[in-house]
Amino acid sequence: SDSGAGTMSSFGSLFRVSTFGESHCAGVGCIVDGVPPRMQLTEADIQVQLDRRRPGQAGAGSISTGRNEADAVQILSGTEKGFTLGTPIGLFVRNKDMRPNDYGDMSQVPRPSHADFTYQMKYGFRASSGGGRSSARETIGRVAAGAIAEKWLKEKYGIEIVSWVSSVGDVVCPESEINLETLSRDQVDQHMVRCPHIPTAEKMTECIKAARADEDSIGGVVSVVMRNVPVGLGEPCFDKLEAMMAHAMMSIPATKGFEIGSGFKGTEMRGSKHNDMFVIDKEGKMVTETNYSGGVQGGISNGMPIVLRLAFKPPATIGKAQPTADFTGQATSLAAKGRHDPCVVPRAIPIVETMAALVLADACLMQEARVASAVKLPEEVSQYFCDASMDGSVSFNGVVKGWPGMDKDLQKKQVEKRKAELEEELKNLSLILEGGGAAAQ
């Protein structure tokens, strides 16, 4: 994404979101630019992820904030008759359950490990209640924009993004209990903690409740898998795909760590073990036998699932009295009032998913432009270089042939698949020429 003055509230290049609003202002929202035209889109498509993020969810009151917001989204622009126009989409969510008086005693005391002090020093002024732009309310705009992105990604490429809570405090979900190929959001949402392994989820719940009972908080780790991601996403050298993912994820409030693939554990392995060996699958595509790379090599997606992990710190605002200093430098004691999450990871799940979607949507649009604008190579060199591809197929100057050393049956299968696609296109063109109504839509 672009960086520089004036872009601190914007993310993305071609698929771009700019968020606005604070925790206790009239409302929050965003402007989403670069959404492809003619995609069906209504508030209901966006509301699903906002409902998973919102405070006051049924059954989750014992482990989350007591603030209750409907977070009903309104589309202000960019659609007509339920379809996107390709123009900027304006989204707005009204704040309703605000209690700024809860922060009265805290306005002159910067909360330890919160953004009160740094915002005051940066701007010389700050929103004195609710945390302002550092509040998790700001993430509503991201989630709304990302919900649009993931709808397009699913329809265009079949991309699936699923996030889950993999640890709370020292309670860790066994990796062996998670099937990355089949894990679904329904499985994740069957427990309010959003850990799909129920025995572990129950232990996590007790951990969060114990922290809340002690007027304290606890951190955790959120994992995410992205399936069916096209090959070729990412812009080396400075906008590598994992770099943009790290940028997106570390911009989420309360994040303190980022891993992809083997992450820090990979440092304990030898290269001969860590290397992901290439093989040709039954569809004739190049895949890897293992996935320690986490779906990204050289900053570019390789078509394997992308797997990330995010560390979230314990929320800073707690009811337990702690010795600190006020803005005059005088020693004081702070016991925060208000309604705050004792652990943020259960509600962070849709935020992580939608931020991942924003990165992928931006990267897909960039790579689509590159593939579409590629020119043919001279015949004498084209045999040594395959065309840029997003679906993993192998072609030379537009002719699908498969990998030169590929099994002939697989090669034939790829060619026949492309032939069927071309025949379908030709059939539709013939119907148009004949004045057929079905294809003229």
Side-chain angles (χ1 to χ4, degrees), residues 17 19 30 45-54 91 136 138-150 347-355 358:
V17 56
T19 70
C30 64
D45 296 314
I46 303 168
Q47 195 63 50
V48 175
Q49 283 288 50
L50 287 176
D51 285 346
R52 297 177 77 217
R53 193 222 71 93
R54 78 175 185 87
L91 304 171
E138 178 273 332
T139 63
I140 286 175
R142 306 163 180 246
V143 172
I148 297 173
E150 65 181 15
R347 292 206 296 129
I349 296 304
I351 305 173
V352 171
E353 290 171 346
T354 49
M355 286 305 294
L358 289 173

Side-chain angles (χ1 to χ4, degrees), residues 28 83 128 139 179 214 232 388 423:
V28 293
F83 289 87
S128 60
T139 63
N179 187 333
D214 199 27
E423 287 176 343

Side-chain angles (χ1 to χ4, degrees), residues 427-441:
K427 178 182 176 182
N428 289 333
L429 286 171
S430 298
L431 287 172
I432 292 173
L433 290 173
E434 295 169 5
Q441 291 179 357

Side-chain angles (χ1 to χ4, degrees), residues 10-133:
S10 299
F11 184 81
S13 296
L14 300 184
F15 195 107
R16 187 174 181 85
V17 56
S18 298
T19 70
F20 63 85
E22 293 87 36
S23 180
H24 288 173
C25 69
V28 293
C30 64
I31 301 294
V32 194
D33 212 348
V35 179
R38 302 193 299 179
M39 178 179 73
Q40 283 191 309
L41 184 71
T42 65
E43 281 91 347
D45 296 314
I46 303 168
Q47 195 63 50
V48 175
Q49 283 288 50
L50 287 176
D51 285 346
R52 297 177 77 217
R53 193 222 71 93
R54 78 175 185 87
Q57 296 175 51
S62 61
I63 61 168
S64 69
T65 175
R67 183 168 178 172
N68 190 358
E69 294 278 5
D71 285 351
V73 67
Q74 180 183 5
I75 297 177
L76 302 177
S77 65
T79 66
E80 186 169 320
K81 298 179 180 179
F83 289 87
T84 57
L85 294 168
T87 55
I89 296 176
L91 304 171
F92 183 68
V93 171
R94 188 168 297 280
N95 287 331
K96 294 182 178 181
D97 190 20
M98 300 97 74
R99 295 182 187 175
N101 292 335
D102 286 348
Y103 293 79
D105 296 338
M106 294 190 289
S107 62
Q108 298 305 312
V109 182
R111 285 169 287 176
S113 290
H114 209 286
D116 298 336
F117 172 76
T118 50
Y119 266 67
Q120 182 67 41
M121 299 306 291
K122 180 176 180 64
Y123 298 106
F125 195 49
R126 77 183 199 285
S128 60
S129 69
R133 289 289 284 170

Side-chain angles (χ1 to χ4, degrees), residues 390-406:
M390 292 181 71
D391 64 3
S393 63
V394 181
S395 63
F396 299 84
N397 282 341
V399 179
V400 178
K401 295 182 178 180
W403 296 104
M406 185 190 298

Side-chain angles (χ1 to χ4, degrees), residues 13 78 89 144 152 159 179-180 200 209 233 249 262 264 278 296 322 330 411 424 431:
S13 296
I89 296 176
W152 178 70
I159 293 176
N179 187 333
L180 297 182
T200 303
K209 288 182 176 179
L233 306 186
M249 299 305 168
S262 61
F264 290 105
F278 289 104
V296 180
Q322 292 184 292
Q330 296 297 310
Q411 214 168 22
E424 183 65 23
L431 287 172

